[in-house]
Amino acid sequence: MMNSIQNLFRRNLPAKIMAIIGAVVMWGFVMNEQNPSVNSTITVPIYSMNAPEGYQVEMEVREVTLRVRAPRASFTSVKDDDFKAYVDLAEATEGKNDIKVRTVVPQGFEVLEVSVPHVQVTLEAIIEKVMSLDIQVTGNTGAGSALERIIPDKDSAKITGPRSAVSKVARLVGYLPLANNTTDFKSKVKLTPLDGDGNIVGSIVVVPQEIEITAKIMNGVEKKLIPIKVVYSGTPARKFVVAGAVAQPERLEVIGKKDQLANMNEINTEMISIDGVQEDVNKEVNLELPDGIIVPSKRVSVKISINKVLQDK
């Protein structure tokens, strides 16, 4: 029985093999005619993988176009979301990195071309910094009143962001509007990171984002323009003399109670030593102010002119 079966298969074996090969070729020809391979393009976003913690990732290119090939029928069973492009940042370091774009496509698809084979990826460390607050007062209080002082509930805040952005922050500013108030009030003030030119710095997170400020208002006050007196002690070097001393500004508009202002005819600077000097003295100094007096600034610039004594001929 077995011999007869074996003989059946061996009979005309070359012809049978040729028939099978012909059938396979014919099947491939028919399938290629009925379901030929075609090319297509698909645009997909680039994802990042294995990004290190504590870094901001910036990619020069955010999407790529894939040119793919597959049997025509395969395109009917897939969606654009089935095609992926990504960069692996496992070996990336801070700064600029040239990373190869890798792809994932459905079974039966072949990637012929990636529009951008490599992308530049920049990693930048996220850092923190604690900064003091710069509270700016805007507007005016109501008639007959003045701002005595402000009391913030915090004197500092933390900023977080990419290293380059944090390094640009020169001031953390909050703006307090007086809004013609004549009594003490409280106000929520948002904190804004500014660079040295007064521009807002982006990519910065401020914690807390806002603070509460208590404004103390004085009532029954008046204003008076009072000259500033430069006070100094000591003597210049031998053969040198003081030729003059002026403050800038020379006068200040001060605010205070009527009876207090009535007795104020000048405002003294803090004492400045000129012992042994041989040239002009230029510096910023504090003002000596009595309690309850409000001025735009408690510091002024002074110049003490020093001249050399001319010898007799």
Side-chain angles (χ1 to χ4, degrees):
M1 181 71 174
M2 285 295 297
N3 288 337
S4 60
I5 294 175
Q6 290 176 352
N7 290 334
L8 179 63
F9 276 102
R10 290 172 179 170
R11 188 179 306 155
N12 299 322
L13 184 59
K16 291 177 179 178
I17 292 174
M18 291 302 295
I20 292 173
I21 293 173
V24 171
V25 170
M26 182 61 69
W27 178 85
F29 176 79
V30 171
M31 289 301 295
N32 190 58
E33 285 294 314
Q34 297 299 317
N35 188 25
S37 292
V38 293
N39 298 344
S40 183
T41 57
I42 299 172
T43 299
V44 296
I46 304 175
Y47 297 93
S48 61
M49 295 180 60
N50 299 317
E53 290 186 11
Y55 287 84
Q56 176 179 274
V57 178
E58 290 290 342
M59 285 192 285
E60 186 180 39
V61 177
R62 285 290 179 178
E63 61 181 26
V64 293
T65 298
L66 308 180
R67 191 162 70 89
V68 298
R69 174 186 292 164
R72 179 183 293 160
S74 298
F75 285 92
T76 63
S77 59
V78 297
K79 306 183 298 253
D80 286 356
D81 290 347
D82 295 328
F83 298 83
K84 309 290 184 185
Y86 69 95
V87 288
D88 189 343
L89 304 181
E91 303 298 326
T93 58
E94 185 168 11
K96 295 181 178 180
N97 300 265
D98 191 49
I99 309 293
K100 181 181 179 180
V101 176
R102 303 179 183 277
T103 59
V104 176
V105 297
Q107 185 174 1
F109 282 78
E110 176 188 3
V111 178
L112 303 177
E113 182 183 6
V114 180
S115 62
V116 183
H118 292 77
V119 297
Q120 188 176 89
V121 181
T122 302
L123 296 186
E124 190 170 6
I126 303 296
I127 64 172
E128 298 178 350
K129 183 179 179 181
V130 176
M131 296 191 69
S132 57
L133 307 182
D134 181 3
I135 306 302
Q136 300 286 319
V137 175
T138 62
N140 298 290
T141 56
S145 64
L147 177 66
E148 180 180 4
R149 68 185 186 277
I150 58 173
I151 307 171
D153 66 349
K154 290 182 175 56
D155 57 8
S156 64
K158 181 175 69 177
I159 62 172
T160 304
R163 189 191 306 276
S164 61
V166 170
S167 66
K168 290 179 182 177
V169 179
R171 296 183 298 149
L172 199 52
V173 180
Y175 296 98
L176 174 67
L178 296 179
N180 294 316
N181 277 291
T182 57
T183 58
D184 297 350
F185 67 93
K186 293 184 177 182
S187 179
K188 294 285 188 180
V189 173
K190 181 181 177 182
L191 300 176
T192 304
L194 303 179
D195 64 17
D197 296 324
N199 302 311
I200 296 176
V201 180
S203 303
I204 293 292
V205 176
V206 182
V207 178
Q209 289 185 323
E210 63 179 22
I211 61 170
E212 184 176 78
I213 297 178
T214 300
K216 293 292 186 179
I217 306 296
M218 292 174 58
N219 284 284
V221 296
E222 294 184 354
K223 297 179 180 180
K224 184 177 180 180
L225 199 59
I226 300 178
I228 298 172
K229 179 182 178 181
V230 179
V231 181
Y232 56 88
S233 64
T235 56
R238 187 170 176 269
K239 297 184 179 181
F240 288 85
V241 295
V242 176
V246 294
Q248 191 60 245
E250 295 183 5
R251 297 184 298 174
L252 277 181
E253 185 177 69
V254 302
I255 300 173
K257 297 291 185 178
K258 182 178 180 179
D259 56 350
Q260 192 175 22
L261 293 182
N263 298 321
M264 285 188 67
N265 297 314
E266 61 184 15
I267 302 173
N268 292 338
T269 67
E270 64 183 348
M271 188 67 71
I272 305 167
S273 174
I274 60 169
D275 267 339
V277 299
Q278 300 181 20
E279 58 185 14
D280 294 348
V281 176
N282 294 280
K283 63 189 305 184
E284 278 198 357
V285 295
N286 293 321
L287 296 173
E288 299 289 345
L289 295 167
D291 292 338
I293 293 297
I294 301 171
V295 293
S297 173
K298 294 183 179 182
R299 291 178 66 82
V300 294
S301 298
V302 301
K303 178 178 181 179
I304 303 175
S305 300
I306 306 295
N307 289 353
K308 188 173 184 179
V309 177
L310 297 176
Q311 295 181 352
D312 294 333
K313 293 184 179 180

